[in-house]
Amino acid sequence: MGNSPLTRPGVVDFGGEGPPIVLLHGLMGRARTWWPVARWLTAYGHVVGLDARGHGHGPRGGPWTTEQFVEDTASLLRRFDEPAVLIGHSMGGLHAWAVAATHPGLVRAVVIEDMAPDQRGRTVETWRGYFESWPVPFQSLAHVKEFFGTTGDYFIECVAEREDGYHLLADLRDLYEIAAEWGRRDYWSLVDAVKCPLLVIEAEHTAMPAGQQAELAARVPDGRHVVVAGAGHVVHRDAPLEYRGAVEAFLSDVLGR
């Protein structure tokens, strides 16, 4: 498949053959959190995960703008011989549709998991109090799993061991800056520029503004929207079978497999 994307730090090649499928994680995550999904996605193509700037082994330092994340993603997509399917969770969903809008020749289809285009007015202050209440450093990976409960398996992928225990890989100050941008601007113009097939998977218990994810799908010519009952924000962890069913039906259609 042309030049190997593995020549770039922060890229995880999960394997598979066929059309490129690129996985974009959410805020404070990393590419390797996608492993349970990547296992079955390899039946549909060559699956690659990207660590976003400031996360995992991605580049350090800003600017912390959506445009910079879009360019980081596009630079990876240019390494493939054909357009990619982008699958993004939360922040990664925003970046996925933004890349599809601004680099249409690089994107074949998009899957967005629980992200809304307009969160203006929200601030990171509520998040700050929650993040700063964490018992960092965590004393073990079992401590991480216990603290985060149902999303514990996700968060053990997002920490690294130091001499005094386990710390989040991403810097909280960087995360605050990234999220602060979402409270200042909306992304409807980018939604309106998407022309490829798009699937929105919304959590029943989403924290996103009501109605926006359905509208997001409706404003794309080939947009589709599903709500997963009982799921929280990380749908692919909370309801893995329902998530898989929705994604596989979409890929079977757009890839003809």
Side-chain angles (χ1 to χ4, degrees), residues 27 118-131 175-185 207:
L27 191 71
D118 187 355
Q119 300 184 63
R120 286 177 296 173
R122 293 188 172 188
T123 73
V124 299
E125 291 311 309
T126 51
W127 295 15
R128 190 187 303 273
Y130 169 60
F131 289 158
L175 302 185
Y176 295 146
E177 284 201 45
I178 294 166
E181 183 191 49
W182 307 338
R184 296 192 300 265
R185 60 186 290 197

Side-chain angles (χ1 to χ4, degrees), residues 22-26 34 85-97 110-115 199 201 236 243:
V22 176
L23 305 174
L24 304 176
H25 61 79
W34 282 110
V85 174
L86 293 182
I87 298 180
H89 170 240
S90 193
M91 175 184 78
L94 165 61
H95 298 162
W97 86 65
V110 172
V111 176
I112 297 160
E113 178 186 350
D114 214 50
M115 187 62 173
L199 169 66
I201 300 175
H236 66 273
Y243 176 88

Side-chain angles (χ1 to χ4, degrees), residues 75-191:
S75 70
L76 172 64
L77 300 186
R78 294 186 188 104
R79 296 172 181 251
F80 295 108
D81 297 331
E82 59 182 296
V85 174
L86 293 182
I87 298 180
H89 170 240
S90 193
M91 175 184 78
L94 165 61
H95 298 162
W97 86 65
V99 174
T102 55
H103 299 80
L106 297 177
V107 183
R108 185 168 183 172
V110 172
V111 176
I112 297 160
E113 178 186 350
D114 214 50
M115 187 62 173
D118 187 355
Q119 300 184 63
R120 286 177 296 173
R122 293 188 172 188
T123 73
V124 299
E125 291 311 309
T126 51
W127 295 15
R128 190 187 303 273
Y130 169 60
F131 289 158
E132 294 180 357
S133 73
W134 292 0
V136 176
F138 294 95
Q139 296 306 303
S140 70
L141 292 177
H143 187 195
V144 176
K145 289 189 67 170
E146 178 184 86
F147 181 78
F148 288 105
T150 58
T151 52
D153 285 338
Y154 180 91
F155 279 103
I156 63 172
E157 301 280 1
C158 303
V159 296
E161 186 177 12
R162 302 179 193 167
E163 287 189 10
D164 61 344
Y166 288 86
H167 295 257
L168 192 68
L169 278 164
D171 188 309
L172 287 178
R173 292 166 298 182
D174 299 339
L175 302 185
Y176 295 146
E177 284 201 45
I178 294 166
E181 183 191 49
W182 307 338
R184 296 192 300 265
R185 60 186 290 197
D186 76 85
Y187 297 91
W188 286 115
S189 62
L190 290 171
V191 171

Side-chain angles (χ1 to χ4, degrees), residues 3-11 22 24 48 50-53 58-59 66-82 84 86 95 99 102-103 106-107:
N3 295 328
S4 170
L6 288 177
T7 57
R8 171 173 170 173
V11 174
V22 176
L24 304 176
V48 173
L50 176 65
D51 283 339
R53 180 173 295 268
T66 299
E67 286 74 17
Q68 181 61 62
F69 288 108
V70 165
E71 182 50 39
D72 290 343
T73 306
S75 70
L76 172 64
L77 300 186
R78 294 186 188 104
R79 296 172 181 251
F80 295 108
D81 297 331
E82 59 182 296
L86 293 182
H95 298 162
V99 174
T102 55
H103 299 80
L106 297 177
V107 183

Side-chain angles (χ1 to χ4, degrees), residues 7-43:
T7 57
R8 171 173 170 173
V11 174
V12 179
D13 192 331
F14 290 107
E17 296 182 357
I21 301 173
V22 176
L23 305 174
L24 304 176
H25 61 79
L27 191 71
M28 90 174 70
R30 64 184 301 198
R32 293 192 186 279
T33 62
W34 282 110
W35 180 74
V37 172
R39 295 171 71 189
W40 53 262
L41 268 179
T42 54

